[in-house]
């Protein structure tokens, strides 16, 4: 028996269903749509827990890291069983526009395709399409709220690596939009690490600009004045990118320590690396963290 039937066709006029699979009593689905923010076709995944058949449920957005699509998280993290347990809708978008023909977009793994960094680029040739921040916080947010049974005001955000950076800046730049936040091995201070410096130079221009600071969680934390937030951050001690100075979690913790509105729980996990084996090991804790805040 189908526990969560297809939504009415008139409810999904803006979306095209790409796939659906029954999973832990709910539905793991993937949709495509034409994005006005990014000027291209985009995909995103939605897990609808069995409880969503009975009424609105909280929603958790997950932002993936470099090179990923919506598929990495839904096939590797094992989040569905915990989302079903707590009754959370989980939304997992792609990481960038694709196939739009920007010169250089496919030249390297850490810039362009698969590497949108969840920012709104201001520099050409990226400015027209690379608007992932507005896509996540405005366009996709509206699509999800209009087409799925999301409980108003009960939305959280999490992510991994570049997506952890995205989750942090989405929450800190948009006070009150997300009630809960967490991250796995996030890029915490992109203005000061090779990944971030490369991306920000391409998307915004030279360093020390206001755009750099506006997309850097460590810089944003000091001036955050929104509702109180508890940031749960898990970081593997054996993470090669931690050793290479790409992540810099201690800088974010130090920045948050001077702001009474931000409480940070940084958990250093012995022997864990940067992979989805790490994410799968602690995704249950993160979903519980969000459920506690979103179901209160």
């Amino acid at each position: 028996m189908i526990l969560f039937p297809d939504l009415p066709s008139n409810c999904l006029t803006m979306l095209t269903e790409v796939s659906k699979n029954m999973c832990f009593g709910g539905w793991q689905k993937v949709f495509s749509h034409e994005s006005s923010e990014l000027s291209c076709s985009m995909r995103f995944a939605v897990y609808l827990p069995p409880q969503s058949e009975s009424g609105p449920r909280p929603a958790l957005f997950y932002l993936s890291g470099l090179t990923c699509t919506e598929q990495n998280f839904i096939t590797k993290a094992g989040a569905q069983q915990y989302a079903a347990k707590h009754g959370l809708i989980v939304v997992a978008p792609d990481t960038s526009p694709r196939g739009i023909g920007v010169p250089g977009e496919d030249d390297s793994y850490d810039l362009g395709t698969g590497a949108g960094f969840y920012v709104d680029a201001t520099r050409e040739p990226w400015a027209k399409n690379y608007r992932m921040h507005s896509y996540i916080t405005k366009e996709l947010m509206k699509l999800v709220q209009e087409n799925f049974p999301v409980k108003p005001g009960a939305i959280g955000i999490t992510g991994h690596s570049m997506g952890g950076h995205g989750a942090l800046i989405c929450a800190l730049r948009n006070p009150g939009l997300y009630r809960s936040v967490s991250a796995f091995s996030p890029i915490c201070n992109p203005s000061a690490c090779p990944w971030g410096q490369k991306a920000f130079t391409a998307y915004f221009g030279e360093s020390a600009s206001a755009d750099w600071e506006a997309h850097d969680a460590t810089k944003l934390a000091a001036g955050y004045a929104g509702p109180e937030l508890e940031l749960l951050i898990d970081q593997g001690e054996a993470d090669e990118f931690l050793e290479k100075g790409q992540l810099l979690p201690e800088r974010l913790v130090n920045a948050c320590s001077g702001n009474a509105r931000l409480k940070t729980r940084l958990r250093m996990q012995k022997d864990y690396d940067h992979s989805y084996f790490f994410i799968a090991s602690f995704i249950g804790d993160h979903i519980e963290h969000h459920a506690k805040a979103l179901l209160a």
Side-chain angles (χ1 to χ4, degrees):
M1 180 177 69
I2 296 177
L3 297 180
F4 196 95
D6 290 343
L7 293 170
S9 59
N10 63 353
C11 190
L12 294 178
T13 53
M14 299 179 65
L15 305 179
T16 299
E17 186 175 281
V18 176
S19 65
K20 64 175 182 178
N21 300 93
M22 175 68 83
C23 188
F24 291 97
W27 286 103
Q28 179 62 68
K29 297 190 175 191
V30 175
F31 294 91
S32 67
H33 72 105
E34 294 300 317
S35 168
S36 58
E37 284 287 355
L38 308 180
S39 299
C40 68
S41 179
M42 290 292 288
R43 288 191 179 194
F44 66 93
V46 177
Y47 179 68
L48 297 164
Q51 297 91 329
S52 61
E53 184 184 47
S54 301
R57 302 300 305 174
L60 174 63
F61 284 71
Y62 175 90
L63 307 184
S64 292
L66 289 167
T67 76
C68 292
T69 70
E70 80 288 340
Q71 289 295 315
N72 296 76
F73 177 71
I74 66 174
T75 59
K76 295 180 179 180
Q80 293 91 344
Q81 61 180 312
Y82 304 106
K85 175 183 176 181
H86 294 286
L88 266 59
I89 295 170
V90 181
V91 182
D94 202 349
T95 53
S96 76
R98 293 183 185 270
I100 56 176
V102 171
E105 67 181 356
D106 296 320
D107 289 354
S108 60
Y109 79 97
D110 54 359
L111 181 67
T113 302
F117 270 83
Y118 304 101
V119 304
D120 287 350
T122 58
R123 189 184 187 191
E124 298 300 337
W126 309 98
K128 177 182 177 181
N129 304 96
Y130 278 73
R131 297 181 49 79
M132 287 298 294
H133 187 82
S134 287
Y135 174 72
I136 297 297
T137 60
K138 297 177 182 178
E139 184 177 10
L140 184 61
M141 178 72 74
K142 182 179 179 181
L143 277 175
V144 168
Q145 290 178 319
E146 289 181 348
N147 288 281
F148 304 99
V150 174
K151 181 180 178 181
I155 297 174
I157 192 164
T158 186
H160 171 234
S161 193
M162 177 186 72
H165 144 77
L168 293 170
I169 66 167
C170 284
L172 295 175
R173 292 190 69 198
N174 301 277
L177 185 59
Y178 304 97
R179 193 188 296 177
S180 58
V181 189
S182 73
F184 296 88
S185 50
I187 303 171
C188 295
N189 190 190
S191 297
C193 76
W195 274 340
Q197 290 168 344
K198 178 178 179 178
F200 283 13
T201 299
Y203 296 144
F204 302 128
E206 295 305 313
S207 62
S209 73
D211 287 321
W212 282 51
E213 294 194 359
H215 296 85
D216 186 317
T218 296
K219 301 289 186 180
L220 290 167
Y224 176 78
E228 291 185 5
L229 285 173
E230 180 179 357
L231 314 180
L232 171 61
I233 299 174
D234 272 313
Q235 174 62 63
E237 291 186 353
D239 189 326
E240 63 176 303
F241 300 111
L242 179 67
E243 298 172 1
K244 292 178 179 178
Q246 296 281 21
L247 307 177
L248 306 173
E250 70 284 351
R251 297 194 182 190
L252 177 62
V253 172
N254 289 339
C256 291
S257 66
N259 191 330
R261 295 180 180 274
L262 296 174
K263 178 181 178 182
T264 306
R265 280 198 295 152
L266 173 62
R267 308 193 307 183
M268 300 300 295
Q269 303 293 359
K270 182 177 172 57
D271 295 331
Y272 282 92
D273 57 22
H274 199 74
S275 70
Y276 266 88
F277 295 108
F278 163 60
I279 297 171
S281 299
F282 299 103
I283 189 66
D285 290 352
H286 282 245
I287 289 181
E288 184 174 354
H289 165 80
H290 290 277
K292 181 179 179 181
L294 300 177
L295 293 169

